[in-house]
Amino acid sequence: MNPDRAPDQGMGGKVWLFLALLAFAAFIQGFATIPPFDRDESRYVQASHQMLETGDFIDIRFQDEARHKKPVGIYWMQAATVHLLTGGDDTGPVWVYRLPSLIGAIAAVLLTAWAGLALFGPGAGTIAAMMMATCVILGVEARMAKTDAVQLACILGCFGVLARAYLRPDRALPLSTALLFWVALGIGVLVKGVILMVVGTAILALWLIDREVWWLRRLRPTLGLPLFLAIILPWLIAITIATKGAFFGTAVGHEFLGKAATGQENHAGPPGYFLATFWLSFWPWAPVVFLSLPLIWARRHEASVRFCLAWIIPTWVIHEAVVTKLPHYTLPVLPALALLAAAMVINNRRPVLSRGWVWAATAMTVIVSVAFAGAIIGFPVQLMGQVQAGSVLAALAILAVAGLVVWLIRSARGDAAAYVVLGTVFAYIGIFAMALPNLTPMWLSPQVKQVFDENKPCPGSILAAGGYNEPSMVFLVGTQTRLGGGERVAAHLLSDPACAIGMVTTGREEEAFHAALRAAGREPLLVSELSGFNYSRGKKAVLHFYTLSNRVIAP
């Protein structure tokens, strides 16, 4: 056997159980208590909710608007989960819609270890999986009803198979393992589609390096490709017929190609954006990855290292070149970075590292962790004028983790990594279970629902909103919620004087609302006021709720 190919050693059942429980413990904090996030998560859950409302599981809709930015996979998963767990209720709490993401994130942790078995052995695979279970960005995605955690699990399923096909030409690849690649690829395409870019560019890079791709025959394409097509074609044909091809114009032309040329929804960033945000998105493990870079370069000709670099570099470069940027876009390559860092820095033996690299990693650990802890304490103070106990606990845990990471950097000991993992879980208890759910001013939509329920004139009343038009409000208050400006809220009240209720933000929308009612000779009745912080817009918001009074005035 070629010495640079890692042996496929086994991993005991207790290790798999430990990794699953660790991931669950890290991800479950705040899972059911954090309200729906704006805007992406709430758009997903509302569209899934409408599938159950309407019975249309082909065309994806947010209210009356076509939602053709992503394929149907995650919507089907969320709708099925809600249907199964609520006995057919088409609403369900937001945490039920998040379950596919939680399951996907736990699967991604386990699949990181599985890929690591083929690449670097059980030790590095286990440590890398622990790193993924406790990094910030996967923890965020595990708690959000979106595509990214499930997509990551699909990508890791593909790379776990590819690693075995690439690294072990002397071993037969079982049929079930080969077909797993095609199933994961098919489900990934139905979930998001970016899997084709990540997997495809990695294969292309390996072909350019090795000048051969014969090993792809081990994936059984004559059996696998028809299976892949059987997974994706039924819905692709159905959505093409239902939308007369409009889905592909939006999904490919606007969503995919449009992001490359323009910063959509104010999410633009310069090249280097992901290098900068990596220090927080992969906290607390980013310094360990940084420390591994010279060791990775020294071993770049080894097959397992070469495989990981082909996995990482093309996707990273493409995302840095694309104008639209969000921190989670590089999530698909983080397991490869974790595996390299675990193999180079932590696993088996203490590596030889220059003093400059160690001091740089130590300094970045302290700087990023202190800033993180300060933000965790400072934001509630700025928002609510008080220090939160959960924020203090989280900040202390973050600083403790920073100290443990410094110990890990200087010792490269596996037990130091275990203490980092434990400290990080405590930090997430403070952040996600205690601090975030209690930031009442930033969770405006649940308060809007409460005020609406307490003040709606009729059981079937519909709310019209002007100024505060966040998707989370539509999900919580109801699909029939009408969004627009002050004039539309006034028209809503005039259309149903007995039962309609409206809400406008103070300022321009409220002025337009009053002007429209004066022109109609009617007067509104203020029934409630609500104030908070609209984090989607980054500013405070004061909301006034109105019904229509019986008084008629001269226009």
Short mmCIF file of all heavy atoms in Angstrom, two decimals, residues 37 52 83 85 111 128 157-158 170 194 203 207 209 216 264 296 347 351 364 392 410 417 434 447 510 521 523 532:
data_model
loop_
_atom_site.label_atom_id
_atom_site.label_comp_id
_atom_site.label_asym_id
_atom_site.label_seq_id
_atom_site.Cartn_x
_atom_site.Cartn_y
_atom_site.Cartn_z
N PHE A 37 -36.12 33.38 13.11
CA PHE A 37 -35.21 34.43 12.67
C PHE A 37 -35.72 35.04 11.37
O PHE A 37 -36.30 34.38 10.51
CB PHE A 37 -33.80 33.85 12.41
CG PHE A 37 -32.99 33.60 13.65
CD1 PHE A 37 -32.92 32.33 14.20
CD2 PHE A 37 -32.28 34.63 14.25
CE1 PHE A 37 -32.15 32.09 15.33
CE2 PHE A 37 -31.51 34.40 15.38
CZ PHE A 37 -31.45 33.13 15.92
N LEU A 52 -48.44 22.84 3.34
CA LEU A 52 -49.43 22.08 4.09
C LEU A 52 -50.80 22.74 4.02
O LEU A 52 -51.83 22.05 4.00
CB LEU A 52 -48.97 21.94 5.54
CG LEU A 52 -47.71 21.09 5.75
CD1 LEU A 52 -47.17 21.27 7.16
CD2 LEU A 52 -48.01 19.62 5.48
N HIS A 83 -46.02 17.64 9.63
CA HIS A 83 -47.19 16.78 9.49
C HIS A 83 -47.11 15.58 10.42
O HIS A 83 -48.10 15.21 11.07
CB HIS A 83 -47.32 16.32 8.04
CG HIS A 83 -48.53 15.46 7.78
ND1 HIS A 83 -49.81 15.99 7.69
CD2 HIS A 83 -48.65 14.11 7.62
CE1 HIS A 83 -50.66 15.01 7.47
NE2 HIS A 83 -49.99 13.86 7.43
N LEU A 85 -45.31 15.23 13.25
CA LEU A 85 -45.21 15.52 14.68
C LEU A 85 -46.39 16.30 15.24
O LEU A 85 -46.56 16.37 16.46
CB LEU A 85 -43.92 16.29 14.97
CG LEU A 85 -42.62 15.52 14.72
CD1 LEU A 85 -41.42 16.33 15.15
CD2 LEU A 85 -42.62 14.17 15.44
N LEU A 111 -20.54 12.30 9.80
CA LEU A 111 -19.95 12.08 8.48
C LEU A 111 -18.56 12.70 8.37
O LEU A 111 -17.73 12.23 7.58
CB LEU A 111 -20.87 12.62 7.39
CG LEU A 111 -22.14 11.78 7.16
CD1 LEU A 111 -23.15 12.55 6.33
CD2 LEU A 111 -21.80 10.45 6.49
N ALA A 128 -11.77 16.01 14.54
CA ALA A 128 -12.38 16.92 13.58
C ALA A 128 -13.89 16.97 13.76
O ALA A 128 -14.51 18.04 13.63
CB ALA A 128 -12.03 16.49 12.15
N GLY A 157 -21.41 13.24 2.78
CA GLY A 157 -21.67 11.89 2.29
C GLY A 157 -20.93 11.64 0.98
O GLY A 157 -20.31 10.58 0.79
N CYS A 158 -20.96 12.63 0.08
CA CYS A 158 -20.25 12.49 -1.20
C CYS A 158 -18.74 12.40 -0.99
O CYS A 158 -18.07 11.53 -1.58
CB CYS A 158 -20.58 13.68 -2.10
SG CYS A 158 -22.26 13.67 -2.76
N ASP A 170 -6.68 -0.31 -4.22
CA ASP A 170 -6.47 -1.75 -4.06
C ASP A 170 -7.61 -2.42 -3.31
O ASP A 170 -7.57 -3.61 -3.05
CB ASP A 170 -5.15 -2.01 -3.32
CG ASP A 170 -5.11 -1.31 -1.96
OD1 ASP A 170 -5.86 -0.32 -1.78
OD2 ASP A 170 -4.32 -1.73 -1.10
N VAL A 194 -25.84 23.71 -4.67
CA VAL A 194 -24.44 24.11 -4.62
C VAL A 194 -23.52 22.91 -4.48
O VAL A 194 -22.32 22.99 -4.76
CB VAL A 194 -24.22 25.10 -3.46
CG1 VAL A 194 -24.26 24.41 -2.10
CG2 VAL A 194 -22.91 25.86 -3.62
N ILE A 203 -13.38 17.32 -7.87
CA ILE A 203 -13.00 16.28 -8.83
C ILE A 203 -12.15 16.88 -9.95
O ILE A 203 -11.14 16.29 -10.37
CB ILE A 203 -14.26 15.59 -9.38
CG1 ILE A 203 -14.96 14.79 -8.27
CG2 ILE A 203 -13.90 14.68 -10.55
CD1 ILE A 203 -16.30 14.22 -8.67
N TRP A 207 -8.29 15.93 -10.97
CA TRP A 207 -7.92 15.54 -12.33
C TRP A 207 -6.78 16.40 -12.86
O TRP A 207 -5.84 15.90 -13.48
CB TRP A 207 -9.14 15.66 -13.23
CG TRP A 207 -8.82 15.45 -14.69
CD1 TRP A 207 -8.42 14.29 -15.28
CD2 TRP A 207 -8.83 16.45 -15.71
NE1 TRP A 207 -8.19 14.49 -16.63
CE2 TRP A 207 -8.44 15.81 -16.92
CE3 TRP A 207 -9.15 17.80 -15.75
CZ2 TRP A 207 -8.35 16.50 -18.12
CZ3 TRP A 207 -9.07 18.49 -16.95
CH2 TRP A 207 -8.66 17.83 -18.12
N ILE A 209 -4.48 17.87 -11.13
CA ILE A 209 -3.26 17.56 -10.39
C ILE A 209 -2.70 16.20 -10.82
O ILE A 209 -1.50 16.06 -11.09
CB ILE A 209 -3.53 17.56 -8.87
CG1 ILE A 209 -3.89 18.97 -8.39
CG2 ILE A 209 -2.31 17.03 -8.11
CD1 ILE A 209 -4.43 19.01 -6.97
N LEU A 216 -12.89 7.30 -10.61
CA LEU A 216 -14.32 7.61 -10.58
C LEU A 216 -15.16 6.41 -11.04
O LEU A 216 -16.35 6.33 -10.70
CB LEU A 216 -14.62 8.82 -11.45
CG LEU A 216 -14.14 10.18 -10.93
CD1 LEU A 216 -14.44 11.27 -11.94
CD2 LEU A 216 -14.79 10.50 -9.58
N GLN A 264 -26.47 40.82 -3.53
CA GLN A 264 -27.90 40.76 -3.34
C GLN A 264 -28.26 40.98 -1.88
O GLN A 264 -27.60 40.50 -0.97
CB GLN A 264 -28.45 39.41 -3.83
CG GLN A 264 -28.32 39.23 -5.33
CD GLN A 264 -28.94 37.93 -5.80
OE1 GLN A 264 -29.43 37.12 -5.03
NE2 GLN A 264 -28.94 37.73 -7.11
N ILE A 296 0.51 21.75 6.60
CA ILE A 296 -0.23 21.31 5.42
C ILE A 296 0.62 21.51 4.17
O ILE A 296 0.70 20.64 3.30
CB ILE A 296 -1.56 22.06 5.31
CG1 ILE A 296 -2.49 21.69 6.47
CG2 ILE A 296 -2.24 21.78 3.97
CD1 ILE A 296 -3.71 22.58 6.59
N ASN A 347 -3.46 15.47 16.51
CA ASN A 347 -3.45 14.02 16.59
C ASN A 347 -2.03 13.43 16.63
O ASN A 347 -1.14 13.88 15.92
CB ASN A 347 -4.22 13.44 15.40
CG ASN A 347 -4.58 11.99 15.60
OD1 ASN A 347 -4.87 11.57 16.72
ND2 ASN A 347 -4.57 11.23 14.53
N PRO A 351 3.60 18.58 16.77
CA PRO A 351 4.34 18.99 15.59
C PRO A 351 5.39 20.05 15.91
O PRO A 351 5.34 20.70 16.95
CB PRO A 351 3.24 19.59 14.69
CG PRO A 351 2.23 20.11 15.68
CD PRO A 351 2.26 19.16 16.84
N MET A 364 -4.32 35.98 17.96
CA MET A 364 -5.64 36.01 17.33
C MET A 364 -6.69 35.34 18.21
O MET A 364 -7.84 35.78 18.26
CB MET A 364 -5.57 35.32 15.97
CG MET A 364 -4.82 36.12 14.92
SD MET A 364 -5.53 37.78 14.65
CE MET A 364 -7.18 37.38 14.08
N VAL A 392 -23.26 37.07 30.83
CA VAL A 392 -22.06 37.02 31.67
C VAL A 392 -21.49 35.60 31.70
O VAL A 392 -20.28 35.40 31.57
CB VAL A 392 -22.37 37.51 33.09
CG1 VAL A 392 -21.17 37.31 34.02
CG2 VAL A 392 -22.79 38.98 33.07
N ARG A 410 -0.16 25.55 22.40
CA ARG A 410 1.21 25.40 22.88
C ARG A 410 1.58 23.96 23.24
O ARG A 410 2.75 23.63 23.36
CB ARG A 410 1.43 26.31 24.09
CG ARG A 410 1.33 27.78 23.69
CD ARG A 410 1.60 28.73 24.85
NE ARG A 410 1.67 30.10 24.37
CZ ARG A 410 2.75 30.67 23.85
NH1 ARG A 410 3.87 29.98 23.76
NH2 ARG A 410 2.73 31.92 23.46
N ALA A 417 -7.85 19.60 23.70
CA ALA A 417 -8.96 19.75 22.76
C ALA A 417 -10.28 19.34 23.41
O ALA A 417 -11.32 19.99 23.20
CB ALA A 417 -8.71 18.92 21.51
N MET A 434 -29.78 30.97 27.22
CA MET A 434 -30.11 31.98 28.22
C MET A 434 -30.17 33.39 27.65
O MET A 434 -31.15 34.11 27.88
CB MET A 434 -29.08 31.91 29.36
CG MET A 434 -29.05 30.56 30.07
SD MET A 434 -27.71 30.43 31.29
CE MET A 434 -28.28 31.60 32.52
N GLN A 447 -44.22 39.44 19.76
CA GLN A 447 -45.00 40.46 20.46
C GLN A 447 -46.14 40.98 19.59
O GLN A 447 -47.23 41.27 20.08
CB GLN A 447 -44.08 41.60 20.89
CG GLN A 447 -42.99 41.18 21.86
CD GLN A 447 -42.06 42.33 22.21
OE1 GLN A 447 -42.42 43.24 22.95
NE2 GLN A 447 -40.85 42.30 21.65
N GLU A 510 -46.92 55.92 9.20
CA GLU A 510 -48.07 56.33 9.98
C GLU A 510 -48.69 57.61 9.42
O GLU A 510 -49.91 57.77 9.39
CB GLU A 510 -47.69 56.53 11.45
CG GLU A 510 -48.89 56.76 12.36
CD GLU A 510 -48.53 56.66 13.82
OE1 GLU A 510 -47.43 57.11 14.19
OE2 GLU A 510 -49.35 56.13 14.59
N GLY A 521 -62.55 60.32 4.95
CA GLY A 521 -63.49 60.81 5.94
C GLY A 521 -63.66 59.90 7.14
O GLY A 521 -64.71 59.93 7.81
N GLU A 523 -61.79 58.00 10.81
CA GLU A 523 -60.82 58.23 11.88
C GLU A 523 -60.40 56.90 12.49
O GLU A 523 -61.25 56.07 12.81
CB GLU A 523 -61.42 59.13 12.95
CG GLU A 523 -60.44 59.54 14.03
CD GLU A 523 -61.05 60.53 15.01
OE1 GLU A 523 -61.80 60.07 15.89
OE2 GLU A 523 -60.79 61.74 14.87
N GLY A 532 -39.56 48.18 19.99
CA GLY A 532 -38.50 47.19 20.05
C GLY A 532 -37.41 47.53 19.06
O GLY A 532 -37.27 48.69 18.63
#
